[in-house]
Amino acid sequence: MKRNKISILIFILFFSSISIAQVDPEIRLGARGVMSVNNDIINNSLSSAINDFSDSGFLLGFKQKLYNDFRGLFVLGFQFPDAESDLGQIFFHQIFLQIEDKNNIFKLGRSRVKSSLIEFTTLRDDDALQLTDVISPYSNGINTEDNQFGNVFEYSHIFKQRYWLTIHGEHFTKSKISPETDFSMNALGFSLEYRVPLSQRWNREIIQQIGFSFNNFLTESEGYSNKFNKTLKNYIFSAVFNLLPDPVYFLDFRMQSILNTGTEGIASVSGFSDLARAKSVSVFGGPRFLYRRLERPYLQASIYGGYKSYPDLVEKTSQLQLVTNFFYRLGENFDVGIQYQYKKNIGEVAKIYPNNEHRIQFSIVYSIEQVWNKHFDDRESILNLEHGYIK
């Protein structure tokens, strides 16, 4: 009898240890260091920054197996903002909870807003912000993060692992109001995208990604008959095409166009808010070459150009930008690179930004992701939350 009790006790302890092991969370640590030496020529005046470490950041994620086929995720992350921002030394850009299964994703918290559909392989994600992202009318223009991060509620449904339908409600930071006391939803919209899964990209289909997005800012404007008409609406169309179907020498072309319907009555620009509310049309894109040796990214070169016009302003107003770069991988996720940018601002936009700007950057970038108690697939690496250029 005593032996049976001991056997039962051992049996219980054994299966208890198994159940404990099964509910242990998967832990992911992600970090990215971005260092660059910047040399600028702004309106024929030379300036430099010996060490720009903005956008360096840290991410910590916990993923948990839930009942049925669902899994839960908690992510906490911060990064170092631009030196001229008023966000302080550290900015918490990722704080959210997510529940997902094979075909559904629910996200609630602070994260990347739907101001852009694709990534361009620039050194930092805000290098061409005026042309690559929907611009927030609630921002005072000091912080680029105002246009990229906010409090979000998102639901995505994935059809056949390739078609993504996302409905989102967002709160963009109202940095032009100090202090901010209203954190209600001030933007909403949806997006529909076709994405080739990462595991299938070796097939090198011509269309790698194509998408459409509608973004609606719930602004208050005078002279409109109903709420929908007085909101500020933006439409995004994006695409990534494979130009060379080769598993070693990757050549693709990526582009994105944004139509901002604007607010009536804005004929001139006196500040950043007017620029965000003025009607505008932008297009940005170009080719990228990536060489993979032994199934690992080795070097990458890209050249992008873009143009943005403001047709309703009294004075002819436009923005022109060129970005070209080259990155070389020294070792596992450790890269060196050089990037050149040229910006030209014409008309009303020159009241806010310099007429001409040249920038040359020499950079070193290191990315790392470490996983403990690995239980799940890598459909979304934690570093995918950060901007990347060699993929």
Side-chain angles (χ1 to χ4, degrees):
M1 185 69 178
K2 185 176 181 181
R3 181 178 299 176
N4 290 338
K5 290 182 179 180
I6 294 174
S7 299
I8 293 172
L9 180 60
I10 293 174
F11 181 85
I12 293 173
L13 291 174
F14 175 76
F15 280 96
S16 296
S17 66
I18 293 178
S19 64
I20 292 172
Q22 287 178 339
V23 299
D24 282 349
E26 177 181 286
I27 302 173
R28 288 179 177 260
L29 171 66
R32 175 163 289 154
V34 184
M35 310 293 167
S36 66
V37 177
N38 303 339
N39 296 280
D40 300 314
I41 301 177
I42 302 175
N43 293 339
N44 299 319
S45 178
L46 178 64
S47 64
S48 64
I50 191 63
N51 189 9
D52 179 1
F53 54 84
S54 60
D55 285 13
S56 296
F58 173 90
L59 291 165
L60 184 61
F62 302 90
K63 188 174 289 188
Q64 184 72 58
K65 179 71 174 70
L66 306 180
Y67 299 131
N68 299 322
D69 295 326
F70 284 88
R71 63 188 66 170
L73 173 66
F74 170 60
V75 171
L76 173 65
F78 66 84
Q79 65 176 206
F80 297 93
D82 298 333
E84 62 270 19
S85 77
D86 61 3
L87 296 173
Q89 293 294 321
I90 293 177
F91 172 63
F92 285 90
H93 65 311
Q94 303 282 354
I95 310 173
F96 67 84
L97 287 170
Q98 181 171 294
I99 300 174
E100 63 178 343
D101 66 359
K102 181 180 179 181
N103 297 312
N104 300 282
I105 302 174
F106 302 87
K107 178 189 283 189
L108 185 64
R110 170 173 286 272
S111 188
R112 187 70 160 86
V113 295
K114 289 291 185 179
S115 59
S116 181
L117 287 180
I118 63 174
E119 278 190 343
F120 292 93
T121 54
T122 53
L123 175 61
R124 293 182 172 91
D125 58 356
D126 57 6
D127 285 337
L129 183 72
Q130 289 292 319
L131 281 76
T132 60
D133 285 67
V134 170
I135 303 304
S136 170
Y138 308 113
S139 174
N140 58 15
I142 297 176
N143 309 316
T144 59
E145 291 83 0
D146 293 343
N147 308 283
Q148 299 172 300
F149 300 97
N151 298 338
V152 305
F153 171 78
E154 288 181 10
Y155 167 69
S156 297
H157 184 77
I158 308 170
F159 301 89
K160 298 182 179 180
Q161 296 303 300
R162 288 176 179 252
Y163 301 92
W164 292 62
L165 174 63
T166 301
I167 302 171
H168 62 267
E170 300 163 334
H171 172 81
F172 282 76
T173 300
K174 298 179 180 179
S175 60
K176 64 181 182 180
I177 300 176
S178 182
E180 183 179 9
T181 57
D182 181 8
F183 296 94
S184 60
M185 182 175 66
N186 56 25
L188 57 86
F190 72 91
S191 62
L192 180 62
E193 299 176 80
Y194 169 83
R195 305 181 194 172
V196 175
L198 183 62
S199 61
Q200 299 297 315
R201 289 185 183 176
W202 285 104
N203 294 333
R204 307 304 290 160
E205 301 175 26
I206 293 177
I207 298 178
Q208 182 172 315
Q209 183 174 333
I210 190 167
F212 170 81
S213 177
F214 169 71
N215 295 271
N216 190 28
F217 290 104
L218 306 179
T219 55
E220 295 295 330
S221 304
E222 301 296 333
Y224 289 89
S225 59
N226 58 65
K227 269 190 170 296
F228 181 77
N229 288 338
K230 70 181 180 180
T231 58
L232 184 63
K233 293 172 276 294
N234 287 264
Y235 302 89
I236 305 175
F237 173 77
S238 66
V240 180
F241 301 103
N242 289 316
L243 303 181
L244 181 64
D246 188 282
V248 177
Y249 303 97
F250 283 42
L251 181 63
D252 63 33
F253 183 89
R254 51 191 62 208
M255 60 81 61
Q256 182 168 264
S257 181
I258 302 175
L259 168 63
N260 179 359
T261 60
T263 301
E264 289 186 9
I266 298 181
S268 62
V269 173
S270 60
F272 185 84
S273 179
D274 290 337
L275 196 65
R277 293 170 184 263
K279 183 178 180 179
S280 64
V281 181
S282 67
V283 61
F284 190 82
R288 176 194 69 139
F289 171 76
L290 175 65
Y291 171 56
R292 296 175 65 95
R293 187 175 69 178
L294 302 177
E295 299 185 1
R296 293 178 179 271
Y298 190 64
L299 60 87
Q300 176 184 275
S302 60
I303 179 169
Y304 300 115
Y307 180 79
K308 187 173 187 177
S309 64
Y310 299 83
D312 285 357
L313 298 183
V314 173
E315 186 179 357
K316 184 178 180 180
T317 301
S318 62
Q319 294 174 283
L320 177 69
Q321 185 166 359
L322 173 70
V323 182
T324 182
N325 53 42
F326 176 84
F327 294 103
Y328 180 81
R329 180 144 289 180
L330 295 177
E332 186 68 23
N333 297 323
F334 202 104
D335 313 307
V336 295
I338 181 172
Q339 177 170 280
Y340 167 74
Q341 297 182 64
Y342 170 71
K343 299 179 183 179
K344 186 174 181 63
N345 299 296
I346 302 170
E348 293 283 324
V349 74
K351 296 178 181 179
I352 301 175
Y353 301 105
N355 290 325
N356 291 280
E357 181 178 354
H358 301 265
R359 168 171 281 195
I360 299 177
Q361 297 170 287
F362 302 93
S363 61
I364 299 176
V365 182
Y366 179 50
S367 305
I368 184 172
E369 181 169 2
Q370 184 67 45
V371 183
W372 293 273
N373 300 329
K374 183 174 176 60
H375 303 313
F376 305 104
D377 59 78
D378 293 322
R379 180 171 75 180
E380 290 295 337
S381 162
I382 195 170
L383 283 180
N384 287 348
L385 295 169
E386 298 292 338
H387 174 68
Y389 46 87
I390 298 184
K391 291 186 176 181

